[in-house]
Amino acid sequence: MTDAGQIPGYTTGTWDIDAVHSDIEFTLRHMGVGRSRGRFDKFEGQIVTADNPLDSSVTATIDTASVNTGNADRDAHVRAEDFLDTDNHPTATFRSTGIRQNGETWLIDGDFTLHGVTLPITLEAELGGFTDTSDGGKMLGLSASTTLNRTDFKVGPNGGAMLGEKVRIALEIEATLRG
């Protein structure tokens, strides 16, 4: 058991992800030499911190149509049937199944559903901490990342040199404690 008392400011409760102060970004190889980047602009989720931090949980939902690569034509292509197919798969979801600690790093295991395919993934997370806000509330921050194989989720063409199969996902999350 991890001692919550060893985490400065640790507070139990349900926290809502603040999408205004959070980011979900992705990076993948393009043409084998460069990197293409993007983000999702609409998402929501909750973090439930338990008495024992290892019993905590995370859920999140991403609006896949909110993909933003900085180029409207490319965004339309990524939303299309041969990639995210947002008309048929309007959301991606994550639901944690367990949390482990590895030194200063937290490993958040969970089921990720994208493009109608659900697979287990592990997010490697770093707890930024807990703090009081100027309006008397509480906030927590964390950074997390993982690498997915897009073809495992049936996103985009298999093989070829145009797009890499590995997609790096990076999250910067701030969440507020429910009152």
Side-chain angles (χ1 to χ4, degrees), residues 54 98-102 105-109 122:
L54 299 179
I99 297 178
R100 303 173 279 139
Q101 192 170 10
N102 183 14
T105 301
W106 298 85
L107 302 174
I108 305 171
D109 300 315
T122 299

Side-chain angles (χ1 to χ4, degrees), residues 17-95:
I17 293 174
D18 177 357
V20 173
H21 295 104
S22 300
D23 294 301
I24 299 176
E25 299 177 342
F26 60 88
T27 307
L28 70 157
R29 285 271 184 209
H30 181 251
M31 301 298 292
V33 294
R35 295 199 186 276
S36 187
R37 299 177 190 282
R39 59 181 285 132
F40 291 96
D41 291 331
K42 294 181 184 175
F43 50 89
E44 63 184 19
Q46 292 77 40
I47 300 167
V48 177
T49 49
D51 289 334
N52 175 354
L54 299 179
D55 293 333
S56 298
S57 63
V58 179
T59 58
T61 301
I62 300 167
D63 176 349
T64 56
S66 74
V67 67
N68 181 350
T69 65
N71 179 286
D73 291 337
R74 182 172 47 216
D75 293 348
H77 189 202
V78 173
R79 288 184 194 106
E81 186 177 348
D82 56 336
F83 282 96
L84 292 178
D85 190 11
T86 61
D87 287 341
N88 292 308
H89 305 287
T91 61
T93 60
F94 177 80
R95 181 170 311 282

Side-chain angles (χ1 to χ4, degrees), residues 28 148-159 163-165 167:
L28 70 157
L148 309 174
N149 185 321
R150 65 175 177 76
T151 62
D152 291 345
F153 292 92
K154 299 182 178 17
V155 173
N158 288 337
L163 289 177
E165 292 182 358
V167 180

Side-chain angles (χ1 to χ4, degrees), residues 2-23:
T2 298
D3 182 7
Q6 295 177 345
I7 302 170
Y10 187 83
T11 304
T12 60
T14 299
W15 306 75
D16 294 309
I17 293 174
D18 177 357
V20 173
H21 295 104
S22 300
D23 294 301

